Structure formats: C-alpha cells, structure tokens
Amino acid sequence: RIFHVRLSQCTSLASLEDLARPLEHITLTDFELNVSGCRSLQTLGELSSQLRSQLSLERLRLNFCDCDAIPKEVEMDLAICLKEISHGRDVCAVPFQTEEGKISL
C-alpha cells in the first residue's frame, strides 16, 4: 500500500498522534509524510514505533523542515528509528531544523 500525506504549512497542527495510530493496522510499502513548515508540531505520536513495525516498507520519504517546536528527544528518537530501518530500504528524511543546526540523518 502507498500512503502519502502532505500537511505542509499547517500552522495549527500540534500532533501526529491521530495520523500515526492507524498505521499499525496498515501494511505499507511506500510512505511519504510532508509536514514542512508546521511550526506548532510538538509530538509525532507513535510514528517511530509504527515505522519500525512496517516490515514491508520499501520507500520512505519524510520532510520535517521548519518544525521548530519538536522537542530534541523526539527528534533523536526519530533519527535513531530512521537509522535502524534504513538498511536495505529507500529512505530519505529531510532533517529537522534545530537551534544547533540540522540533524544529519
């Protein structure tokens, strides 16, 4: 299954909880999530654990540019998740923008 979500510039989006929750019931081969410019986004819900459970995932695209409100711990959890799942898969993640600069995924 292919699942593409584009919510860029959605300034009131604070959480991906409702988006991530149903992913446990879907087998994905291609997942794209663009939330660039969502400056109020603070939590990704269970996105990292849901991505880890997607064993059929072949292609992953994530764009979190200018999501300034995401806590450092959440960024690091996603970065670790992406490193774990990137082996043998087509993974591209536009890094978070942080006070210290960009996190290289």
Side-chain angles (χ1 to χ4, degrees), residues 61-79:
R61 297 288 182 265
L62 300 176
N63 186 339
F64 286 95
C65 281
D66 300 321
C67 294
D68 305 334
I70 298 175
K72 187 77 166 172
E73 308 82 55
V74 174
E75 292 177 7
M76 294 311 296
D77 180 54
L78 183 60

Side-chain angles (χ1 to χ4, degrees), residues 8-77:
S8 60
Q9 305 302 322
C10 184
T11 56
S12 62
L13 181 68
S15 172
L16 293 180
E17 186 70 41
D18 291 336
L19 172 75
R21 191 176 304 121
L23 294 179
E24 67 183 305
H25 304 292
I26 302 171
T27 300
L28 298 172
T29 57
D30 185 329
F31 182 63
E32 180 179 314
L33 176 63
N34 183 344
V35 290
S36 64
C38 296
R39 297 190 181 275
S40 298
L41 185 63
Q42 297 177 16
T43 179
L44 306 182
E46 297 296 318
L47 182 62
S48 292
S49 64
Q50 298 302 342
L51 290 174
R52 284 183 179 102
S53 70
Q54 292 291 333
L55 302 178
S56 298
L57 189 64
E58 297 172 5
R59 181 180 176 275
L60 175 65
R61 297 288 182 265
L62 300 176
N63 186 339
F64 286 95
C65 281
D66 300 321
C67 294
D68 305 334
I70 298 175
K72 187 77 166 172
E73 308 82 55
V74 174
E75 292 177 7
M76 294 311 296
D77 180 54

